Amino acid sequence: MSKARKHSRLIVTLVVVVLIGAGLAAAFWPRPVMVDLAEVTRGSMMVTIDEEGRTRVREAYVVSTPIAGRLQRVEVNPGDPVIRGQTVVAQMLPINPSAMDVRTREQAQAGLQAADAALRVAKADLNAALAGRDLAAAELERSVQLSERGLISSAAYERTEQGFRVAEAAVETAEAAISMREAEVANARAQLVEFGEQNTFSTMGTGNGGGIPLLAPADGRILRIMQQSETTLPAGAPIMEIGDIDGELEVVVELISSDAVQVNIGDTAIIDDWGGPVPLQGQVSRIDPFAITKFSALGVEEQRVPVTITLTGPPDERDALGHGYRIEARIVVWQADAVIRVPSSALFRSGEVWSVFVDRDGTASLRRLEPGRNNGTFAEVVGGLEAGERVVLYPPSGLEDGTMIAPRQTR
């Protein structure tokens, strides 16, 4: 009986030891690391420089005041179509000069009276010159008759002829003096003109009696109005801006100088995030040779280069796009077809070289590779990988060569 008990106790002990050993083995048995896997593919790839930009009209015209005067209220609105040389976009009235004080007016009146007196003197001189010319003409006629008879000498005849020419010259001088005096009278009378007087504007040659019309300098639409209300403005003050949105709309982006050196004239550009259903196509048309200094949102000083992109698609694709709108531009600096590409998230630095972990029958295999271009999503594979292989995305820090791996299940 005792032997049977001992035998059963031994069996129970052995069973417990086996169970404990199995539990410990199961607990410390190496498990595969759960990872995300992606396949190395062959396809097209492009590298772009992405930057925020804005639209603008290539040739925008600013309508400004031609003279200092009073701008009447602008009746046109932004978006209205205009025709060059025909559409009246604004009206101006010449500004009233400062009212003359009593002393200035008395001086102007005295100047006008002096000019009138000088004009009368000039007319009297003309009458005297005309009388002298008539007398010289009569003497010349008698001298001609006497000379034909031989009754006077040649010298006497020549003196008479000279006297007639001098009399004619005196008449012409008197006539010119009258013209000068008339101009002085007009100038003196202009000093007394006050623009507050009735019918002053109608006498200035404005044609319509309502002011000076300002015509549209180009075909297109009114982009914006800087001065809408009636006010007094100096000469050259801007009133509105006009441009052709349909035919001359372009995009300007300011690239960091290190990115701008990678861009060439003629590069393809893709306009995204502008609000329309499809991206717009464009082409780099100009790269400014001068960089401007700007500060980022974090206060970092940057050298920015303005790059102009011409929109190449049909205008009806961008009907709602206007002047000064925000867009996202992607300038294509490199593209190729049928290249081996690997997700950029699979690459990591191993010493001085780039490496990836390749899935080989559930085991992570460290593989060095030679990457080419990288656009942030995919990296070009120059050597080290083949299409169809699977690589580990975002490899964890504890992953090593030879570690067992298993794909993470996605819901």
Side-chain angles (χ1 to χ4, degrees), residues 46-120:
M46 67 171 57
V47 177
T48 62
I49 295 176
D50 302 346
E51 189 60 61
E52 181 179 311
R54 58 182 176 84
T55 60
R56 73 176 183 187
V57 174
R58 185 180 305 111
E59 294 291 342
Y61 296 85
V62 177
V63 179
S64 58
T65 55
I67 60 172
R70 187 163 188 81
L71 174 70
Q72 296 183 320
R73 182 171 179 81
V74 177
E75 300 296 337
V76 295
N77 297 307
D80 291 350
V82 294
I83 301 176
R84 177 181 180 181
Q86 297 183 18
T87 306
V88 178
V89 295
Q91 293 273 358
M92 284 199 67
L93 295 176
I95 193 170
N96 290 348
S98 301
M100 291 187 295
D101 56 17
V102 176
R103 179 178 178 181
T104 304
R105 173 174 289 277
E106 292 297 328
Q107 289 177 344
Q109 289 178 346
L112 178 60
Q113 293 174 0
D116 285 333
L119 178 59
R120 291 195 298 272

Side-chain angles (χ1 to χ4, degrees), residues 107-399:
Q107 289 177 344
Q109 289 178 346
L112 178 60
Q113 293 174 0
D116 285 333
L119 178 59
R120 291 195 298 272
V121 171
K123 290 180 178 179
D125 292 340
L126 176 60
N127 292 330
L130 289 174
R133 186 186 64 178
D134 293 342
L135 178 60
E139 291 180 353
L140 178 60
E141 184 178 357
R142 287 192 297 270
S143 297
V144 169
Q145 295 175 358
L146 294 175
S147 176
E148 290 176 352
R149 298 178 184 178
L151 298 178
I152 61 173
S153 63
S154 299
Y157 174 77
E158 291 175 356
R159 284 193 296 271
T160 305
E161 186 178 13
Q162 179 186 9
F164 175 74
R165 292 179 179 177
V166 170
E168 280 190 333
V171 172
E172 294 177 358
T173 301
E175 291 175 348
I178 289 177
S179 299
M180 293 174 58
R181 300 307 178 188
E182 288 176 346
E184 291 176 356
V185 170
N187 185 34
R189 186 174 289 113
Q191 300 296 324
L192 290 171
V193 173
E194 293 190 15
F195 284 82
E197 297 177 1
Q198 188 177 5
N199 299 327
T200 299
F201 293 123
S202 61
T203 63
M204 295 188 63
T206 56
N208 56 6
I212 302 173
L214 304 183
L215 303 178
D219 296 336
R221 295 180 180 274
I222 297 176
L223 302 179
R224 58 172 177 159
I225 296 178
M226 285 81 90
Q227 185 59 54
Q228 181 88 42
S229 302
E230 181 176 352
T231 184
T232 301
L233 296 174
I239 302 174
M240 67 184 65
E241 193 171 1
I242 295 176
D244 183 8
I245 294 179
D246 297 331
E248 296 189 353
L249 197 65
E250 62 184 12
V251 173
V252 178
V253 294
E254 294 180 351
L255 302 180
I256 297 176
S257 57
S258 58
D259 291 336
V261 297
Q262 305 176 45
V263 179
N264 296 310
I265 294 178
D267 285 348
T268 302
I270 303 172
I271 310 302
D272 284 329
D273 196 20
W274 62 279
V278 295
L280 303 178
Q281 299 298 317
Q283 191 176 52
V284 176
S285 58
R286 186 176 69 252
I287 303 172
D288 286 12
F290 184 80
I292 55 180
T293 302
K294 287 200 170 183
F295 292 89
S296 67
L298 300 177
V300 179
E301 182 177 300
E302 298 174 340
Q303 294 302 116
R304 294 277 179 170
V305 179
V307 175
T308 304
I309 299 173
T310 300
L311 298 177
T312 57
D316 55 2
E317 290 184 354
R318 54 177 191 274
D319 285 339
L321 201 60
H323 178 77
Y325 285 30
R326 174 196 170 276
I327 55 91
E328 290 286 343
R330 296 189 293 134
I331 302 175
V332 181
V333 295
W334 177 85
Q335 61 181 344
D337 297 326
V339 299
I340 299 176
R341 57 189 187 178
V342 62
S344 300
S345 57
L347 274 66
F348 63 93
R349 297 287 292 184
S350 177
E352 298 296 328
V353 297
W354 288 98
S355 303
V356 294
F357 281 111
V358 181
D359 178 20
R360 303 197 68 176
D361 300 328
T363 303
S365 175
L366 182 63
R367 183 85 59 84
R368 295 181 178 180
L369 79 160
E370 183 180 353
R373 301 271 187 164
N374 193 330
N375 61 10
T377 303
F378 290 99
E380 178 192 14
V381 178
V382 179
L385 286 175
E386 297 295 335
E389 293 185 293
R390 296 199 306 170
V391 295
V392 178
L393 301 179
Y394 308 104
S397 59
L399 190 62

